[in-house]
Amino acid sequence: MVREQYVEVAAGVRLWTERRGAADAPALLLVMGAQASGLGWPEELVDALAERHHVIRYDHRDTGRSSHSFDEHPYPVTDLARDIIAVLDGLGIEGAHLVGLSLGGMLTQLVLADHPERVLSATLMGTCALSETPYLGPDGVSELPGIAPEVLALWAQPVEDHGLEAELDRRVAHWRVLGGDRIPFDAAYFRELERRIIEHAGGYAAPTAHGRADDSGMLRTAELARNEVPTLVVSAPAEPVFPPPHPQHLAQVIGGSRLVEVPGMGHALPPAVLGPLAEAILAHTGGAVRV
């Protein structure tokens, strides 16, 4: 059974939430990336996780059906992490497994650092460490790679309104680059995904608030080092935004963490990775439930 509910997280700010799975199962909260609606989590993945969990996905502020308030009341990125706690509070959930992708992985780290008592376990993917501790490679301290040039070039292009189908074309091209080069790209799948996201939001204008938000005050070096919450880092070999060894760095600097690779995965969630990803998450959360 799917249940939708709005949760007020700040004065005048409501977030859309959706829950599925048994209400008495351990809660699992999916935290999407920047500018992304909760519908970016594919139905197949949500349903697979809901076999064992009470799964919650939600729209960040200024995405989907949640309040779009940034232009009138700007907020820092750290407020998006506070929203995670507010969603749990609003739904009456004491603790949850958190699964974060991209910016959602950073927000999950902030909650790990600031509110570990609310986190049953954490899963991080497609993200970077909120830590100043350097990466220690096989040959000593090593520089971490930056975002792939083809991604930066895509992000530098202005987003213009040429109608719905042109916007769908743009989003599919974006996913083609983010998906990496290990798995054949299914344009029809991502076009249908984005069409559902647009229908859910009620418009096709591309969100921009998170890219304009203040991203200062996010480092949590010491707190992450002493983390004791079971943490899974998903390594995506075709990741173009935070390429390896970013996952290895995360596993080094976050206490209580371990690493697993999902073959072929990039910075996207195509059908080919959903089964292995669900298995990895469920294997992790199954042994991490606190009483």
Side-chain angles (χ1 to χ4, degrees), residues 223-241:
E223 294 89 343
L224 292 173
R226 59 175 177 260
N227 172 63
E228 296 181 351
V229 175
T231 299
L232 178 69
V233 179
V234 175
S235 178
E239 169 67 58
V241 180

Side-chain angles (χ1 to χ4, degrees), residues 212-268:
R212 294 181 284 138
D214 178 6
D215 63 358
S216 63
M218 294 179 65
L219 287 175
R220 297 291 189 277
T221 303
E223 294 89 343
L224 292 173
R226 59 175 177 260
N227 172 63
E228 296 181 351
V229 175
T231 299
L232 178 69
V233 179
V234 175
S235 178
E239 169 67 58
V241 180
F242 297 110
H246 276 280
Q248 289 73 17
H249 181 229
L250 279 160
Q252 284 182 3
V253 303
I254 299 177
S257 62
R258 63 185 184 89
L259 192 69
V260 65
E261 181 174 302
V262 173
M265 186 172 171
H267 200 80

Side-chain angles (χ1 to χ4, degrees), residues 117-133:
E117 74 284 355
R118 304 298 297 273
V119 188
L120 301 177
S121 79
T123 300
L124 310 173
M125 63 187 90
T127 194
C128 65
L130 301 183
S131 173
E132 293 180 300
T133 302

Side-chain angles (χ1 to χ4, degrees), residues 4-10 13-19 29 54 56 58 82-95 118:
E4 297 183 36
Q5 180 178 336
Y6 284 89
V7 172
E8 185 168 352
V9 298
V13 179
R14 295 195 315 160
L15 303 188
W16 173 88
T17 73
E18 178 205 85
R19 291 180 282 168
L29 180 66
H54 181 56
I56 306 110
Y58 70 101
R82 296 185 183 95
D83 287 349
I84 293 173
I85 300 300
V87 166
L88 295 179
D89 287 345
L91 298 177
I93 296 170
E94 183 62 32
R118 304 298 297 273

Side-chain angles (χ1 to χ4, degrees), residues 143-284:
E143 197 77 21
L144 288 164
I147 299 171
E150 57 269 28
V151 175
L152 292 175
L154 197 64
W155 289 351
Q157 295 177 8
V159 178
E160 300 173 343
D161 184 355
H162 297 293
L164 171 60
E165 295 305 318
E167 175 61 15
L168 284 168
D169 290 343
R170 187 191 70 81
R171 295 188 186 192
V172 169
H174 188 214
W175 284 122
R176 185 184 299 274
V177 173
L178 291 182
D181 58 2
R182 306 284 182 92
I183 294 173
F185 183 70
D186 186 342
Y189 173 83
F190 282 99
R191 193 176 193 87
E192 180 57 30
L193 173 68
E194 286 296 341
R195 195 179 294 277
R196 290 197 304 270
I197 289 171
I198 286 169
E199 289 173 355
H200 169 76
Y204 61 81
T208 63
H210 301 164
R212 294 181 284 138
D214 178 6
D215 63 358
S216 63
M218 294 179 65
L219 287 175
R220 297 291 189 277
T221 303
E223 294 89 343
L224 292 173
R226 59 175 177 260
N227 172 63
E228 296 181 351
V229 175
T231 299
L232 178 69
V233 179
V234 175
S235 178
E239 169 67 58
V241 180
F242 297 110
H246 276 280
Q248 289 73 17
H249 181 229
L250 279 160
Q252 284 182 3
V253 303
I254 299 177
S257 62
R258 63 185 184 89
L259 192 69
V260 65
E261 181 174 302
V262 173
M265 186 172 171
H267 200 80
L269 299 173
V273 308
L274 299 182
L277 181 59
E279 289 178 10
I281 294 171
L282 289 172
H284 177 59

Side-chain angles (χ1 to χ4, degrees), residues 51-66:
E51 290 292 322
R52 191 179 300 173
H53 290 289
H54 181 56
V55 178
I56 306 110
R57 60 180 175 175
Y58 70 101
D59 290 341
H60 290 298
R61 302 180 188 207
D62 291 276
T63 73
R65 295 180 180 174
S66 291

